[in-house]
Amino acid sequence: LMTLNAVNPPSHFDEAWKEILDAYFQEFMEFFYPKLAENIDWSIGYQFMDKELQALSTDSAIGKRFVDKLVKIHSKAGQPSFVLLHTEVQGAQEEVFAQRLYTYHYRLRDRYQLPILTLAILADDNKNWRPDCYQDTLWNENILTFRFFINKLLDYEEKKETLLEISNPFGIVVAAHLTSLKTQPDPQMRLKQKLKLTRCLYEKGLARKKVSKLYYFIDAVMALPEDLELQYNDSIHALEQESKVAYITTAERIGIKKGLEEGRKENGLKTFRALLQKKFPDSPLDLYESEIAAADEDMLREWSVSMMDASSLRNVFGH
């Protein structure tokens, strides 16, 4: 039996998907939605509107979302000139998923008065969960149908080897995501597959910047126990010696790992602050800001438990 220490640590899909979408949104569209991508004038560029999306959301803590992005693009046809793409990468089955996408749709439509396409990547491990519309009925009559465009990552499982051969970076992205799901209970298999994917990056002869982005994704979604992580680093060093190419130096690998850890802490702090603000809207949260900023993950968990029964901010922090 596998001991608890031998199990792979949690993967960090959210940071990984956010980074890769920020870096390669055009490639994302061309991989998952090629027909839609043909209608976009990429030469003009596009605009991320994530802050605007967050401002409209009142239920950001609901659902296992990896990424929730809003992008303003230019249409080739000219009519309409602008279109909003609401893109969501969903990590687990969620009962109100379709309804939530519809809620975002009408809020965004009302706010910006622009046509909106809703795109959903289903990154969960349930082959049978495939929501693609939201319907509202009254007295057995359908009074509303809202459709969105989905892609199920599990559908690429049988094409995984082919994914590694294509030039679009999302071939490796999807392969890494699927491999992470499959190897979660088997650290040795994950190490083997992580090395295979990394070797593929080196063999493709990609530009260094592109390799580093994909390396970041692989490293984030295929986390290894510490002893196997050391083996992985040694193997990558040997690969660099063999290929005489050092895409990712040891210092950079350490930096990426540190960046992931800092990113997770920052996300935890943001969530904790939001929950405090929601429960105690009229309390002076800034009085405790220095304590919150200095907290580690264990302390955040302890405060989060205290918050459930606390009647004031003072109770949460043990004052």
Side-chain angles (χ1 to χ4, degrees), residues 65-87:
R65 278 172 285 175
F66 294 150
V67 174
D68 194 18
K69 302 192 77 63
L70 184 64
V71 185
K72 184 178 182 181
I73 58 92
H74 297 260
S75 174
K76 274 184 180 178
Q79 291 295 330
S81 299
F82 300 102
V83 175
L84 297 181
L85 304 180
H86 175 213
T87 304

Side-chain angles (χ1 to χ4, degrees), residues 164-193:
L164 301 181
E165 299 173 2
I166 66 176
S167 59
N168 191 304
F170 279 88
I172 287 181
V173 166
V174 174
H177 187 106
L178 293 174
T179 303
S180 177
L181 295 179
K182 194 171 184 178
T183 61
Q184 179 56 39
D186 190 341
Q188 290 292 342
M189 178 57 71
R190 174 169 290 190
L191 171 62
K192 180 180 178 181
Q193 293 299 317

Side-chain angles (χ1 to χ4, degrees), residues 18 20 33 50 53-54 65 68 77 81 95 98 198 204 222 237 262-263 285 303:
K18 180 183 184 303
I20 209 70
Y33 303 100
D50 297 347
L53 180 62
Q54 291 168 9
R65 278 172 285 175
D68 194 18
S81 299
E95 184 177 352
T198 309
K204 277 181 173 292
M222 300 184 71
H237 180 69
E262 291 176 349
L285 184 59
W303 286 340

